[in-house]
Amino acid sequence: KLIEECPLSSALNEDKYALNILRRFRDKSLAVSNSGMLITSLYYSNAREIINILNSKRYSISKHPFIYEGDMR
């Protein structure tokens, strides 16, 4: 199934470095266990709702800078 929406891709403004780290975690760590695959499935099946929450006025990344603060490189 083609994944068209990724909340973290939106939240990280397509930061390729950070996204590659997260994708590697998904593919190398989560994908090797049933529970990890379930987490990944739930994440993508709820992607639209997660994006709506991240874009809502009640939720602001400026209120939660720990999500993406500092340089991950």
Side-chain angles (χ1 to χ4, degrees), residues 25-68:
F25 174 71
R26 177 197 62 201
D27 297 341
K28 302 288 184 185
S29 298
L30 295 177
V32 299
S33 71
N34 288 334
S35 57
M37 289 186 287
L38 176 61
I39 290 167
T40 300
S41 176
L42 290 170
Y43 170 77
Y44 285 113
S45 66
N46 291 288
R48 175 72 347 227
E49 184 175 354
I50 295 168
I51 289 171
N52 289 339
I53 291 167
L54 291 173
N55 290 335
S56 74
K57 291 183 179 182
R58 290 187 333 175
Y59 184 94
S60 167
I61 287 183
S62 64
K63 289 182 186 176
H64 305 283
F66 62 89
I67 290 174
Y68 188 60

